[in-house]
Amino acid sequence: MNKQLILDHADAAVEFNKNEAKVDWHDETLWFVRTKRDRAVAQIPEWEQLREAASQIKNHVLSNMHDLLIQFEENAIRNGIKIHWAADGDEHNAIVLDIIKQAGATRMVKSKSMLTEECHLNKYLIDNGIEVIDSDLGERIVQMRNEPPSHIVLPAIHLTKAEVGETFHEHLGTDKGATDPQYLTEAARQHLRETFLTRKVALTGVNFAIAETGGFVVCTNEGNADMGAHLADVHIAAMGFEKIIPRAEHLGVFLRLLARSATGQPITTFSSHFHRPRPGQEMHIVIVDNGRSRQLGRPDFRNSLKCIRCAACLNTCPVYRRSGGFSYHSAVAGPIGSILAPNLDMKKNADLPFASTLCGSCSNVCPVKIDIHDQLYKWRQVLMREGYGPGSKTVAMKAMATVLESPRLYRMAGKVGRGVLRFAPITVENGLNPWYNQREMPEPPAESFHDWYVNHKKA
Amino acid sequence: MTTRDQMLASIKANQPAMRPIPAQFTFTSVYPDLTQQFIDILTFVGGAALIVPDFAAIRASLQTQFPNMTSVATTCDELADLADVTMNVSDPHELSGLNLAIIEGPLAVAENAAIWVDERQLPQRVAPMITQYLVIIIRQSTIVPNMHDAYKLLKVDETGFGTFICGPSKTADIEQSLVIGAHGARSLMVYILP
Ligand code: SF4
C-alpha cells in the first residue's frame, strides 16, 4: 500500500544476489573483518566494562546534550573556532557553500564524513559550481564511479580490484587491466597529493567533540583528513550534535573501542585533536540537527544517537553481508542505518527495519551497547501502526491478526493449512507468500498439537 | 529565534532526564614489559622499532636505513647535522618535497603503539603526514600502559593541535588488501631511548 520505492531492500537484495560469487566474497570478507574485531577484543580483558562505560557516558551525553553543546560552543569560540548551527541538511549545505565563497574558492577537498552524505553535500556544491574531491581512497573510488559509499568504514567494499582498476584506468590513466592494489593505491596517492596541495578549503568529519576543551578529534588510517586540513587556509568540520563528549579523558574509552570494533586495529593510524586554527588559518564547525533532536525525543529510539559509526554492526549482520550496502538506499546502511533512516523519512525507509533477522548479533558487538535489534523490532511496530508497513507484509499480517484473534478460525486455519501443505504445496510456494522466498517449507505434521492433545486425552 | 536557539530549545525539550557520568571509566592494563608490548603492536601495524642506547646509535642506524637521502628535516638538536632542510617554514606547502622527518614523541602507549605528538614537536602540523618517511624518537620511561594513562598525563589543548600516531599510513580500501603508504608517511621507524 505504501510501496513507493523504486527498489525496496528485499528487491535490491535480490539484484545483489544475482552475482553469487561476488556475494560470497562480500559475505566472507566482511565476516573476516568481524573475526579481526574478535581477535582485537580478546586482548582487552576489560572489554565489557569498557563498553558499559562508553554506553553510560553516552547516556549522560544524551541527557545533558543542551548544556554540553553550550559549553562546547563557548570553549570552541574561545579557541578561535567559528561555530555554525544547521537545523537540517539544506542549511548545513548552504553554510558550507557560504564559507567556501567567502574564501574565494571554487574547489574543496573532503575527508570522510557520513554526515555530508546524509545531507547530499557533494551534489549541492557541484550544482553551485564548486568542485569537490573526496580524499579517502574508498570514497574517491566510489565518487569516480558516481556511486555513494556502500559501507560507513569501507566505502568501496562492494567493488572488486578489477572494477577499481577499470575505474582508475578511465579516470587516472593507470594501465588497462591493472589490478594490483599497491599500484592502484600509489596512483591515487599521487593524484590526491596534488589535490591536497592545491585546495584552499578542506572539509572533515568529526568523530568526537570535547565539551570541556572546545576541540574535536578526527580519526583516519590514511592521513587524508590531516593532509587536507593542515594544508588548507580554511578547515570546515561538520558534525551531528550527538558527537559531543563531556571531557578529554573520556576519549580514552572511545578510542580504545572504536578501531578495534571497526577493523580490529588497536587504534587508527591518526587520532588528530584539533583545538585552534594554525596561524593564519580559519576553522569552522558546523553543528547539525537534521532530525536528531526528534530522535532524541523518542524514548524507544534515542539510543541510536549513541552510535560512534564503527560499522561493527554492519560487518556482523547476516543480512547486510548478503544484501550489500546499496540495498539500504540510505547514507548509513546496515542495522544502525535501519534505525536511523525511518526517523529521517518513515515512508521512504519503511522497509529497512524489516531487513533484519533480529538475531541480535549487532547489539552484541556494538561498542556503545545500543539495543539495535530491539529498536528494529520496535520500529516495525511503529511503522505498521502508522500504516507504513511494506505492502505484502501488511496484507499477510492483517489476515494473520484476524486469525490469531479467533480461536475457532485459528484451528480451522491450521486444518486447512496442513491440508494445503500436504496436497497443494504450490499455493504456499507462490510469489505471493514472501516467507517462501529462498526457503523450503517444512513437512506439515499429520495432526495439530490441538488434535493430538484432544485424541490423547480421550485415550 | 535563530537556528541555534531553535536547535538548543528543541534539544532541551527532547533530552531525557539527567543520567550521571559513570564513576568508573578508566581501567588498568598490566603488561609484563611495556616496551616489548609497544614493539609487538607497532610491528603488527606495519611499523618498526629499535631499542638504542643513545643518539649516536640512532645516527648510525639512520645512515644505514636511509643512505644518501636528501630533503631530510629534524627537530632533534642531536641529529641536526643529518638534516638538509627545515620543518620550520611559514607555509606548510613548502614541505611538499620532504623525504624524511625525524621528530620526538613525548608520550607513547603500550597497548596500541600510539605516540602522541603536538605542536611542541611539530613546527608544522602536516609534517608527520606529508613526509615520505617518518622517524619518531621516544623514551622507554615515557611509555604508559594504556590510553587512560595517556589522557591522565596529557593536556590535549596545551597546543592547538596534537595527534596520536600509530604506525605508517595505510589503506585496505581495494578489496581489503592492506597497502602501507596511503596519503601519509610510507614507513614509520621508532627509536626507543632508555
Ligand atoms: S550502532 Fe554500534 S556497532 Fe553499529 S556502527 Fe554504531 S557504534 Fe558501531
Side-chain angles (χ1 to χ4, degrees), chain A residues 152 261 304 306-314 332 335-336 339 362 365-370 372:
Chain A
I152 55 179
S261 297
S304 60
K306 291 158 72 176
C307 176
I308 57 173
R309 300 289 191 271
C310 72
C313 60
L314 280 70
V332 180
I336 179 64
I339 55 181
C362 45
V365 295
C366 178
V368 290
K369 294 182 103 168
I370 301 173
I372 307 170

Side-chain angles (χ1 to χ4, degrees), chain A residues 55-93:
Chain A
S55 170
Q56 288 187 27
I57 294 169
K58 285 284 187 177
N59 283 339
H60 167 78
V61 168
L62 297 188
S63 73
N64 197 25
M65 192 71 80
H66 174 269
D67 290 1
L68 288 172
L69 283 167
I70 288 183
Q71 188 192 0
F72 174 72
E73 180 189 41
E74 229 175 73
N75 289 324
I77 290 173
R78 190 171 310 135
N79 288 338
I81 304 174
K82 294 201 175 89
I83 302 289
H84 309 259
W85 300 78
D88 54 25
D90 291 345
E91 196 169 358
H92 162 267
N93 294 347

Side-chain angles (χ1 to χ4, degrees), chain A residues 166-434:
Chain A
E166 262 311 298
T167 304
F168 277 19
H169 172 65
E170 191 185 319
H171 293 268
L172 298 180
T174 50
D175 298 341
K176 192 160 176 57
T179 59
D180 175 27
Q182 182 90 43
Y183 166 77
L184 296 173
T185 302
E186 182 63 30
R189 177 182 167 105
Q190 301 300 341
H191 153 66
L192 285 165
R193 257 202 178 224
E194 194 275 329
T195 308
F196 292 128
L197 285 165
T198 49
R199 298 305 186 266
K200 283 166 74 174
V201 181
L203 186 143
T204 69
V206 168
N207 289 91
F208 306 99
I210 314 156
E212 175 196 40
T213 61
F216 58 95
V217 176
V218 184
C219 304
T220 74
N221 281 323
E222 299 182 5
N224 56 314
D226 287 282
M227 284 290 278
H230 304 322
L231 289 168
D233 298 341
V234 178
H235 175 186
I236 307 169
M239 62 177 265
F241 68 65
E242 81 281 13
K243 297 287 173 195
I244 205 96
I245 59 168
R247 301 204 293 269
E249 271 181 289
H250 296 139
L251 287 167
V253 173
F254 293 108
L255 292 187
R256 294 188 78 194
L257 289 166
L258 178 60
R260 288 186 175 101
S261 297
T263 57
Q265 292 171 255
I267 189 171
T268 48
T269 304
F270 301 100
S271 309
S272 292
H273 301 50
F274 295 84
H275 276 90
R276 290 185 281 283
R278 57 167 213 279
Q281 189 192 33
E282 257 179 55
M283 199 177 273
H284 300 261
I285 297 175
V286 189
I287 304 175
V288 182
D289 186 329
N290 204 34
R292 286 166 175 75
S293 56
R294 185 170 57 235
Q295 189 87 325
L296 188 62
R298 299 187 207 265
D300 283 344
F301 305 114
R302 62 167 61 108
N303 276 351
S304 60
L305 296 173
K306 291 158 72 176
C307 176
I308 57 173
R309 300 289 191 271
C310 72
C313 60
L314 280 70
N315 302 340
T316 202
C317 178
V319 175
Y320 175 87
R321 281 188 278 118
R322 296 202 67 89
S323 62
F326 295 152
S327 62
Y328 294 81
H329 54 78
S330 173
V332 180
I336 179 64
S338 300
I339 55 181
L340 291 171
N343 175 56
L344 290 173
D345 188 334
M346 247 191 239
K347 190 168 173 175
K348 197 169 141 254
N349 299 309
D351 54 326
L352 295 184
F354 294 89
S356 166
T357 64
L358 302 185
C359 71
S361 184
C362 45
S363 307
N364 285 334
V365 295
C366 178
V368 290
K369 294 182 103 168
I370 301 173
D371 51 339
I372 307 170
H373 73 294
D374 287 338
Q375 292 192 36
L376 287 166
Y377 177 67
K378 286 173 184 161
W379 264 125
R380 292 181 185 184
Q381 293 169 332
V382 172
L383 291 163
M384 298 307 289
R385 205 163 55 230
E386 308 270 323
Y388 293 123
S392 58
K393 281 207 171 69
T394 313
V395 175
M397 301 262 176
K398 279 216 177 102
M400 190 189 271
T402 317
V403 171
L404 289 176
E405 270 161 22
S406 148
R408 201 177 53 82
L409 261 183
Y410 173 74
R411 278 196 291 276
M412 197 179 90
K415 281 206 173 87
V416 175
R418 282 184 300 282
V420 168
L421 276 176
R422 245 172 303 150
F423 303 118
I426 186 74
T427 51
V428 188
E429 300 175 8
N430 65 35
L432 291 173
N433 186 346

Side-chain angles (χ1 to χ4, degrees), chain B residues 86-89 91-98 124 126-127 130-131:
Chain B
T86 175
M87 284 180 266
N88 252 316
V89 291
D91 177 356
H93 293 85
E94 289 174 45
L95 298 180
S96 65
L98 189 61
Q124 278 291 348
V126 81
I130 203 169
T131 184

